[in-house]
Amino acid sequence: MWDERLKNFRSIRRGLQQVVAEIADGTFGVAYRGSSLETVVHSIAEQRQIFKGADHAFLWKPKLRIPDIYESPANQKAFGQLLDTCLCCNTEEHVVSAIHAIDARKIKGLGPAVANLLYFLHPTIMPPFNTAIVKGYNALTGSKVKLGRWEDYLAMRQGILKLNATYRSLLSNDLGAIGGLLFDLGSGRYSAPPLENDKTARELWEADLYQVREQSAKEARILAAERETDHTHTEIQGWLRDLGHSLGYDVWIAANDRSRPWQDGKLGDGCLSVLPGFTTATQGAESVRLIDVLWLDRESQRIVAAFEIEHSTTIYSGIVRMLDLALGSEAQALEGLFLVAPDKREADVREQLRRPAFSRIADLKVRYLPYGALEKDRASIARFGQSMKPIEAISHALTPI
C-alpha cells in the first residue's frame, strides 16, 4: 500500500499549499465549511480510522470563539506561516521551532490537533494526535499526558520516537504505524501489557491478546474474501492499457506502477517510458506522472485522455492529479478526464466534485467510468471502436459539458 500512500501524501501536500496561498492572498475566507482547508482535512479523515475526527479541531465554534483563525486575520496568517514553514523545511529542528512559534501566540483552539496536518508533511518526524492516541500512550508507558497543549504533545512525541527506535524492527520509520498501535490501545481494541512485573497479570493479558488476535484474523479473512470478488487496481490499469493500444494510442502508466506484475509481464510493458512534455521543470509534472493511465496521440504526443482509478482510496487525490494535468502550463489535446471506480462509488465521486475547492473542474469534461461497463464492453470497443466515442458512450458526465 505504500505507493498509494505516497500518492495521497503528495495530494495532501498540494492541498495544504493551496491553503497557504489563499491565506497569503487574503482569499481564504472566514469559515471552515467550503474552504480549501475543509477539503484537505476531509481527505485526511478518509485515510484510515485514526483520522476520522480530524476535522473537529477546525470546525468553527461560535460560542467559544474557536479556533480563532476565522475572525483574526493575524492569527490566520500565523497559521499559514506554520504550514508554509513546514512545507518548505525538512529538518526536525525547523518543524519544532515552527510549533514553538505558533504556540507562543496562544491562538485559541489551535493546539496539537494541527499535528495531524503536519504528520502528512513530515511522517517520520511528527506523529498523529488524538484522544485515543494519548490514552494509548499513557496506558503503554504509564505517563499522564494531557490533551490540548503543544508542550505535552512535544513531550509525548519524544517518548514516541524513543519507543519507535526501540521496536523499530516491528514498526516503521513512518510514525503512522506506531500512531495506529497507540490508537488501537487507546480505543480499547487491544489492552496494554501490565506495567508491573506480575506473572498472573501478564498471563491474563496474554490470554486477552490471543482472543483479540483471533478476532482480527477472522475479520481479515472476511475482508480478503470480499476483495476477491472485486477487481484489483492493477487489473483495471491493465484493461485500460490494452484498450488504449487497441484504439491506436500510446499509453503511459503511472511512474510508480510500471513495474507491477501483470499477466505474463509487467504493467508498463509496451508503454511509454518518458512522458513527453513533462520535465522536472514543468509545473505539476510529478503529480501528472502519477496519474494511473494516460492515452496519448501517437503523432502529436499530446495527452488525449486521463484515467484515475479510485479502487478503495480517497477520491480527493485522484481529482487533484486531474486538475494538475488539465490546468497545467503544458497545452494538451484532452478529450476526456475519467474517474474509474466501482459502480457503487458514483455518489461519492459526485459529492466530492461539489466541493468549492473543485469549482474549477466544472468547466472540464470529467466523466465517471464504472467498472461494470468497462468489463462488459471493453472487448467490443477494442475490436470495433474508434477514437474516444465508445469510452464516452459507456461513461457518465459528472460536470456540465
PDB file of all heavy atoms in Angstrom, residues 186-209:
ATOM      1  N   GLY A 186      -5.549   2.795  22.839  1.00  0.00           N
ATOM      2  CA  GLY A 186      -6.378   3.825  23.468  1.00  0.00           C
ATOM      3  C   GLY A 186      -7.853   3.669  23.195  1.00  0.00           C
ATOM      4  O   GLY A 186      -8.697   4.100  23.998  1.00  0.00           O
ATOM      5  N   SER A 187      -8.205   3.059  22.064  1.00  0.00           N
ATOM      6  CA  SER A 187      -9.621   2.866  21.727  1.00  0.00           C
ATOM      7  C   SER A 187     -10.158   1.543  22.250  1.00  0.00           C
ATOM      8  O   SER A 187     -11.332   1.226  22.066  1.00  0.00           O
ATOM      9  CB  SER A 187      -9.805   2.933  20.202  1.00  0.00           C
ATOM     10  OG  SER A 187      -9.047   1.928  19.554  1.00  0.00           O
ATOM     11  N   GLY A 188      -9.285   0.759  22.906  1.00  0.00           N
ATOM     12  CA  GLY A 188      -9.743  -0.472  23.543  1.00  0.00           C
ATOM     13  C   GLY A 188      -9.699  -1.708  22.673  1.00  0.00           C
ATOM     14  O   GLY A 188     -10.157  -2.774  23.094  1.00  0.00           O
ATOM     15  N   ARG A 189      -9.160  -1.598  21.470  1.00  0.00           N
ATOM     16  CA  ARG A 189      -9.089  -2.786  20.623  1.00  0.00           C
ATOM     17  C   ARG A 189      -8.119  -3.812  21.220  1.00  0.00           C
ATOM     18  O   ARG A 189      -8.364  -5.012  21.186  1.00  0.00           O
ATOM     19  CB  ARG A 189      -8.627  -2.407  19.221  1.00  0.00           C
ATOM     20  CG  ARG A 189      -8.594  -3.585  18.271  1.00  0.00           C
ATOM     21  CD  ARG A 189      -8.149  -3.196  16.881  1.00  0.00           C
ATOM     22  NE  ARG A 189      -8.186  -4.344  15.988  1.00  0.00           N
ATOM     23  CZ  ARG A 189      -7.723  -4.339  14.747  1.00  0.00           C
ATOM     24  NH1 ARG A 189      -7.189  -3.233  14.266  1.00  0.00           N
ATOM     25  NH2 ARG A 189      -7.783  -5.414  13.999  1.00  0.00           N
ATOM     26  N   TYR A 190      -7.014  -3.313  21.741  1.00  0.00           N
ATOM     27  CA  TYR A 190      -6.053  -4.152  22.466  1.00  0.00           C
ATOM     28  C   TYR A 190      -5.859  -3.583  23.861  1.00  0.00           C
ATOM     29  O   TYR A 190      -6.046  -2.382  24.078  1.00  0.00           O
ATOM     30  CB  TYR A 190      -4.689  -4.183  21.763  1.00  0.00           C
ATOM     31  CG  TYR A 190      -4.690  -4.764  20.389  1.00  0.00           C
ATOM     32  CD1 TYR A 190      -4.613  -3.928  19.278  1.00  0.00           C
ATOM     33  CD2 TYR A 190      -4.747  -6.131  20.186  1.00  0.00           C
ATOM     34  CE1 TYR A 190      -4.599  -4.447  17.999  1.00  0.00           C
ATOM     35  CE2 TYR A 190      -4.733  -6.664  18.910  1.00  0.00           C
ATOM     36  CZ  TYR A 190      -4.656  -5.818  17.812  1.00  0.00           C
ATOM     37  OH  TYR A 190      -4.650  -6.345  16.553  1.00  0.00           O
ATOM     38  N   SER A 191      -5.444  -4.447  24.785  1.00  0.00           N
ATOM     39  CA  SER A 191      -5.070  -3.983  26.127  1.00  0.00           C
ATOM     40  C   SER A 191      -3.563  -3.808  26.179  1.00  0.00           C
ATOM     41  O   SER A 191      -2.818  -4.629  25.636  1.00  0.00           O
ATOM     42  CB  SER A 191      -5.505  -5.006  27.186  1.00  0.00           C
ATOM     43  OG  SER A 191      -6.908  -5.165  27.179  1.00  0.00           O
ATOM     44  N   ALA A 192      -3.117  -2.761  26.854  1.00  0.00           N
ATOM     45  CA  ALA A 192      -1.675  -2.561  27.034  1.00  0.00           C
ATOM     46  C   ALA A 192      -1.141  -3.604  28.005  1.00  0.00           C
ATOM     47  O   ALA A 192      -1.848  -4.034  28.923  1.00  0.00           O
ATOM     48  CB  ALA A 192      -1.407  -1.158  27.566  1.00  0.00           C
ATOM     49  N   PRO A 193       0.083  -4.058  27.803  1.00  0.00           N
ATOM     50  CA  PRO A 193       0.663  -5.014  28.750  1.00  0.00           C
ATOM     51  C   PRO A 193       0.764  -4.401  30.138  1.00  0.00           C
ATOM     52  O   PRO A 193       0.937  -3.188  30.272  1.00  0.00           O
ATOM     53  CB  PRO A 193       2.046  -5.307  28.155  1.00  0.00           C
ATOM     54  CG  PRO A 193       2.348  -4.139  27.280  1.00  0.00           C
ATOM     55  CD  PRO A 193       1.040  -3.682  26.747  1.00  0.00           C
ATOM     56  N   PRO A 194       0.645  -5.215  31.185  1.00  0.00           N
ATOM     57  CA  PRO A 194       0.713  -4.657  32.552  1.00  0.00           C
ATOM     58  C   PRO A 194       2.062  -4.006  32.818  1.00  0.00           C
ATOM     59  O   PRO A 194       3.106  -4.527  32.422  1.00  0.00           O
ATOM     60  CB  PRO A 194       0.492  -5.885  33.446  1.00  0.00           C
ATOM     61  CG  PRO A 194       0.823  -7.068  32.581  1.00  0.00           C
ATOM     62  CD  PRO A 194       0.464  -6.676  31.184  1.00  0.00           C
ATOM     63  N   LEU A 195       2.024  -2.858  33.475  1.00  0.00           N
ATOM     64  CA  LEU A 195       3.257  -2.130  33.760  1.00  0.00           C
ATOM     65  C   LEU A 195       4.058  -2.800  34.873  1.00  0.00           C
ATOM     66  O   LEU A 195       5.284  -2.768  34.878  1.00  0.00           O
ATOM     67  CB  LEU A 195       2.922  -0.683  34.150  1.00  0.00           C
ATOM     68  CG  LEU A 195       2.290   0.174  33.040  1.00  0.00           C
ATOM     69  CD1 LEU A 195       1.810   1.493  33.626  1.00  0.00           C
ATOM     70  CD2 LEU A 195       3.297   0.425  31.926  1.00  0.00           C
ATOM     71  N   GLU A 196       3.347  -3.440  35.829  1.00  0.00           N
ATOM     72  CA  GLU A 196       4.045  -4.072  36.939  1.00  0.00           C
ATOM     73  C   GLU A 196       4.528  -5.467  36.527  1.00  0.00           C
ATOM     74  O   GLU A 196       3.991  -6.084  35.608  1.00  0.00           O
ATOM     75  CB  GLU A 196       3.137  -4.171  38.170  1.00  0.00           C
ATOM     76  CG  GLU A 196       1.948  -5.120  37.998  1.00  0.00           C
ATOM     77  CD  GLU A 196       0.751  -4.475  37.301  1.00  0.00           C
ATOM     78  OE1 GLU A 196       0.902  -3.328  36.833  1.00  0.00           O
ATOM     79  OE2 GLU A 196      -0.301  -5.127  37.229  1.00  0.00           O
ATOM     80  N   ASN A 197       5.543  -5.962  37.195  1.00  0.00           N
ATOM     81  CA  ASN A 197       6.118  -7.285  36.921  1.00  0.00           C
ATOM     82  C   ASN A 197       5.334  -8.350  37.695  1.00  0.00           C
ATOM     83  O   ASN A 197       5.796  -8.905  38.690  1.00  0.00           O
ATOM     84  CB  ASN A 197       7.601  -7.314  37.308  1.00  0.00           C
ATOM     85  CG  ASN A 197       8.274  -8.599  36.859  1.00  0.00           C
ATOM     86  OD1 ASN A 197       7.765  -9.298  35.974  1.00  0.00           O
ATOM     87  ND2 ASN A 197       9.405  -8.910  37.474  1.00  0.00           N
ATOM     88  N   ASP A 198       4.108  -8.613  37.215  1.00  0.00           N
ATOM     89  CA  ASP A 198       3.201  -9.547  37.886  1.00  0.00           C
ATOM     90  C   ASP A 198       2.887 -10.678  36.912  1.00  0.00           C
ATOM     91  O   ASP A 198       2.260 -10.453  35.866  1.00  0.00           O
ATOM     92  CB  ASP A 198       1.927  -8.807  38.305  1.00  0.00           C
ATOM     93  CG  ASP A 198       0.969  -9.691  39.102  1.00  0.00           C
ATOM     94  OD1 ASP A 198       0.780 -10.859  38.730  1.00  0.00           O
ATOM     95  OD2 ASP A 198       0.395  -9.185  40.076  1.00  0.00           O
ATOM     96  N   LYS A 199       3.303 -11.901  37.257  1.00  0.00           N
ATOM     97  CA  LYS A 199       3.134 -13.041  36.354  1.00  0.00           C
ATOM     98  C   LYS A 199       1.665 -13.307  36.043  1.00  0.00           C
ATOM     99  O   LYS A 199       1.291 -13.559  34.894  1.00  0.00           O
ATOM    100  CB  LYS A 199       3.777 -14.285  36.973  1.00  0.00           C
ATOM    101  CG  LYS A 199       3.709 -15.507  36.070  1.00  0.00           C
ATOM    102  CD  LYS A 199       4.373 -16.721  36.711  1.00  0.00           C
ATOM    103  CE  LYS A 199       4.253 -17.941  35.791  1.00  0.00           C
ATOM    104  NZ  LYS A 199       4.872 -19.145  36.403  1.00  0.00           N
ATOM    105  N   THR A 200       0.805 -13.256  37.053  1.00  0.00           N
ATOM    106  CA  THR A 200      -0.618 -13.529  36.844  1.00  0.00           C
ATOM    107  C   THR A 200      -1.243 -12.491  35.920  1.00  0.00           C
ATOM    108  O   THR A 200      -1.995 -12.819  34.999  1.00  0.00           O
ATOM    109  CB  THR A 200      -1.368 -13.541  38.192  1.00  0.00           C
ATOM    110  OG1 THR A 200      -0.796 -14.535  39.034  1.00  0.00           O
ATOM    111  CG2 THR A 200      -2.844 -13.848  37.977  1.00  0.00           C
ATOM    112  N   ALA A 201      -0.929 -11.214  36.175  1.00  0.00           N
ATOM    113  CA  ALA A 201      -1.453 -10.137  35.326  1.00  0.00           C
ATOM    114  C   ALA A 201      -0.964 -10.307  33.887  1.00  0.00           C
ATOM    115  O   ALA A 201      -1.719 -10.076  32.935  1.00  0.00           O
ATOM    116  CB  ALA A 201      -1.038  -8.781  35.882  1.00  0.00           C
ATOM    117  N   ARG A 202       0.291 -10.727  33.745  1.00  0.00           N
ATOM    118  CA  ARG A 202       0.855 -10.918  32.406  1.00  0.00           C
ATOM    119  C   ARG A 202       0.138 -12.057  31.683  1.00  0.00           C
ATOM    120  O   ARG A 202      -0.178 -11.947  30.489  1.00  0.00           O
ATOM    121  CB  ARG A 202       2.354 -11.241  32.534  1.00  0.00           C
ATOM    122  CG  ARG A 202       3.070 -11.422  31.199  1.00  0.00           C
ATOM    123  CD  ARG A 202       3.423 -10.089  30.610  1.00  0.00           C
ATOM    124  NE  ARG A 202       4.048 -10.235  29.305  1.00  0.00           N
ATOM    125  CZ  ARG A 202       4.567  -9.230  28.617  1.00  0.00           C
ATOM    126  NH1 ARG A 202       4.537  -8.000  29.128  1.00  0.00           N
ATOM    127  NH2 ARG A 202       5.112  -9.417  27.444  1.00  0.00           N
ATOM    128  N   GLU A 203      -0.149 -13.144  32.374  1.00  0.00           N
ATOM    129  CA  GLU A 203      -0.836 -14.284  31.751  1.00  0.00           C
ATOM    130  C   GLU A 203      -2.255 -13.909  31.334  1.00  0.00           C
ATOM    131  O   GLU A 203      -2.728 -14.317  30.275  1.00  0.00           O
ATOM    132  CB  GLU A 203      -0.850 -15.464  32.729  1.00  0.00           C
ATOM    133  CG  GLU A 203       0.523 -16.114  32.914  1.00  0.00           C
ATOM    134  CD  GLU A 203       0.516 -17.206  33.972  1.00  0.00           C
ATOM    135  OE1 GLU A 203      -0.501 -17.309  34.698  1.00  0.00           O
ATOM    136  OE2 GLU A 203       1.521 -17.940  34.074  1.00  0.00           O
ATOM    137  N   LEU A 204      -2.947 -13.135  32.165  1.00  0.00           N
ATOM    138  CA  LEU A 204      -4.299 -12.688  31.812  1.00  0.00           C
ATOM    139  C   LEU A 204      -4.271 -11.786  30.588  1.00  0.00           C
ATOM    140  O   LEU A 204      -5.130 -11.877  29.706  1.00  0.00           O
ATOM    141  CB  LEU A 204      -4.932 -11.954  33.001  1.00  0.00           C
ATOM    142  CG  LEU A 204      -5.324 -12.814  34.196  1.00  0.00           C
ATOM    143  CD1 LEU A 204      -5.745 -11.942  35.370  1.00  0.00           C
ATOM    144  CD2 LEU A 204      -6.457 -13.777  33.811  1.00  0.00           C
ATOM    145  N   TRP A 205      -3.280 -10.898  30.555  1.00  0.00           N
ATOM    146  CA  TRP A 205      -3.146 -10.008  29.395  1.00  0.00           C
ATOM    147  C   TRP A 205      -2.868 -10.804  28.119  1.00  0.00           C
ATOM    148  O   TRP A 205      -3.446 -10.538  27.076  1.00  0.00           O
ATOM    149  CB  TRP A 205      -2.012  -9.012  29.642  1.00  0.00           C
ATOM    150  CG  TRP A 205      -1.682  -8.186  28.429  1.00  0.00           C
ATOM    151  CD1 TRP A 205      -2.420  -7.155  27.927  1.00  0.00           C
ATOM    152  CD2 TRP A 205      -0.557  -8.348  27.554  1.00  0.00           C
ATOM    153  NE1 TRP A 205      -1.820  -6.647  26.795  1.00  0.00           N
ATOM    154  CE2 TRP A 205      -0.682  -7.362  26.541  1.00  0.00           C
ATOM    155  CE3 TRP A 205       0.532  -9.202  27.539  1.00  0.00           C
ATOM    156  CZ2 TRP A 205       0.255  -7.232  25.516  1.00  0.00           C
ATOM    157  CZ3 TRP A 205       1.463  -9.070  26.525  1.00  0.00           C
ATOM    158  CH2 TRP A 205       1.329  -8.096  25.529  1.00  0.00           C
ATOM    159  N   GLU A 206      -1.994 -11.806  28.193  1.00  0.00           N
ATOM    160  CA  GLU A 206      -1.681 -12.617  27.024  1.00  0.00           C
ATOM    161  C   GLU A 206      -2.899 -13.405  26.552  1.00  0.00           C
ATOM    162  O   GLU A 206      -3.097 -13.606  25.348  1.00  0.00           O
ATOM    163  CB  GLU A 206      -0.513 -13.555  27.338  1.00  0.00           C
ATOM    164  CG  GLU A 206       0.821 -12.814  27.464  1.00  0.00           C
ATOM    165  CD  GLU A 206       1.981 -13.729  27.815  1.00  0.00           C
ATOM    166  OE1 GLU A 206       1.705 -14.903  28.175  1.00  0.00           O
ATOM    167  OE2 GLU A 206       3.148 -13.282  27.751  1.00  0.00           O
ATOM    168  N   ALA A 207      -3.739 -13.858  27.481  1.00  0.00           N
ATOM    169  CA  ALA A 207      -4.967 -14.570  27.105  1.00  0.00           C
ATOM    170  C   ALA A 207      -5.923 -13.632  26.372  1.00  0.00           C
ATOM    171  O   ALA A 207      -6.538 -14.005  25.355  1.00  0.00           O
ATOM    172  CB  ALA A 207      -5.637 -15.144  28.350  1.00  0.00           C
ATOM    173  N   ASP A 208      -6.063 -12.400  26.884  1.00  0.00           N
ATOM    174  CA  ASP A 208      -6.913 -11.407  26.210  1.00  0.00           C
ATOM    175  C   ASP A 208      -6.370 -11.091  24.822  1.00  0.00           C
ATOM    176  O   ASP A 208      -7.131 -10.968  23.851  1.00  0.00           O
ATOM    177  CB  ASP A 208      -6.989 -10.119  27.040  1.00  0.00           C
ATOM    178  CG  ASP A 208      -7.811 -10.290  28.299  1.00  0.00           C
ATOM    179  OD1 ASP A 208      -8.593 -11.260  28.363  1.00  0.00           O
ATOM    180  OD2 ASP A 208      -7.654  -9.463  29.224  1.00  0.00           O
ATOM    181  N   LEU A 209      -5.055 -10.945  24.733  1.00  0.00           N
ATOM    182  CA  LEU A 209      -4.426 -10.621  23.462  1.00  0.00           C
ATOM    183  C   LEU A 209      -4.657 -11.727  22.438  1.00  0.00           C
ATOM    184  O   LEU A 209      -4.911 -11.467  21.261  1.00  0.00           O
ATOM    185  CB  LEU A 209      -2.923 -10.391  23.666  1.00  0.00           C
ATOM    186  CG  LEU A 209      -2.112  -9.956  22.450  1.00  0.00           C
ATOM    187  CD1 LEU A 209      -2.633  -8.624  21.903  1.00  0.00           C
ATOM    188  CD2 LEU A 209      -0.632  -9.829  22.803  1.00  0.00           C
TER     189      LEU A 209
END
